[in-house]
C-alpha cells in the first residue's frame, strides 16, 4: 500500500450584504469540490487515513452555521458554492497541502 498525503480542509460559507465589512454565515449552502485540471469531483474523506476513513458525499451541504470540514488528497482544486442556476460563487486554483 502506498502512503497518501492528505490535508484537512475547514471552511465557512459567508454572505456579503450592504458593504464589504458586513456578512453573515450561509447555512446549509451546497459545496462542490472539483479537481482543478480535470473538473472531476474530488474524493472527500472523514479523516486523514483514506481508504480507512469514510468517503463523504460531494457535493455536500454546509452545517447550520455554514461550516464544513473534510480531508482530501494534496493537490489543486476548485470550490463551488451554491446553485449555479440561482446564485453561486467559485474559488479556483486552491492549493491544498
Amino acid at each position: 500500500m502506498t502512503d497518501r498525503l492528505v490535508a484537512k480542509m475547514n471552511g465557512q460559507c459567508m454572505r456579503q450584504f450592504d458593504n464589504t465589512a458586513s456578512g453573515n454565515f450561509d447555512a446549509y449552502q451546497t459545496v462542490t469540490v472539483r479537481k482543478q485540471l480535470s473538473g472531476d469531483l474530488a474524493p472527500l474523506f472523514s479523516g486523514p487515513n483514506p481508504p480507512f476513513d469514510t468517503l463523504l458525499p460531494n457535493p455536500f451541504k454546509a452545517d447550520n452555521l455554514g461550516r464544513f470540514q473534510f480531508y482530501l488528497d494534496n493537490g489543486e482544486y476548485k470550490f463551488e458554492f451554491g446553485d449555479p442556476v440561482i446564485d453561486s460563487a467559485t474559488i479556483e486554483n486552491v492549493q491544498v497541502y
Side-chain angles (χ1 to χ4, degrees), residues 4-7 35 43 45 50 71-77 96-97:
R4 294 171 65 182
L5 297 176
V6 297
K35 295 179 181 179
F45 300 96
Y71 289 80
L72 71 167
D73 292 328
N74 289 348
E76 189 171 351
Y77 296 93
V96 177
Y97 295 99

Side-chain angles (χ1 to χ4, degrees), residues 4 8 10 14 16-18 25-28 30-31 40 43 45 48 55 61 64 66 68 72 75 77 84 92 97:
R4 294 171 65 182
K8 183 177 184 180
N10 292 305
M14 301 291 288
Q16 294 294 323
F17 292 102
D18 54 0
F25 63 85
D26 197 1
Y28 309 111
T30 299
V31 180
D40 295 337
F45 300 96
L55 187 63
K61 297 272 188 192
N64 64 323
F68 56 87
L72 71 167
Y77 296 93
E92 298 198 37
Y97 295 99

Side-chain angles (χ1 to χ4, degrees), residues 21-95:
S22 67
N24 287 323
F25 63 85
D26 197 1
Y28 309 111
Q29 181 66 260
T30 299
V31 180
T32 305
V33 182
R34 297 186 181 276
K35 295 179 181 179
Q36 181 65 42
L37 293 179
S38 68
D40 295 337
L41 292 175
L44 308 177
F45 300 96
S46 62
N49 299 306
F52 304 110
D53 294 306
T54 303
L55 187 63
L56 300 174
N58 185 12
F60 62 91
K61 297 272 188 192
D63 72 9
N64 64 323
L65 296 177
R67 298 175 301 195
F68 56 87
Q69 176 179 296
F70 54 84
Y71 289 80
L72 71 167
D73 292 328
N74 289 348
E76 189 171 351
Y77 296 93
K78 175 175 24 176
F79 288 75
E80 300 168 350
F81 302 92
D83 182 342
V85 176
I86 300 170
D87 182 25
S88 66
T90 301
I91 303 173
E92 298 198 37
N93 303 310
V94 177
Q95 302 288 323

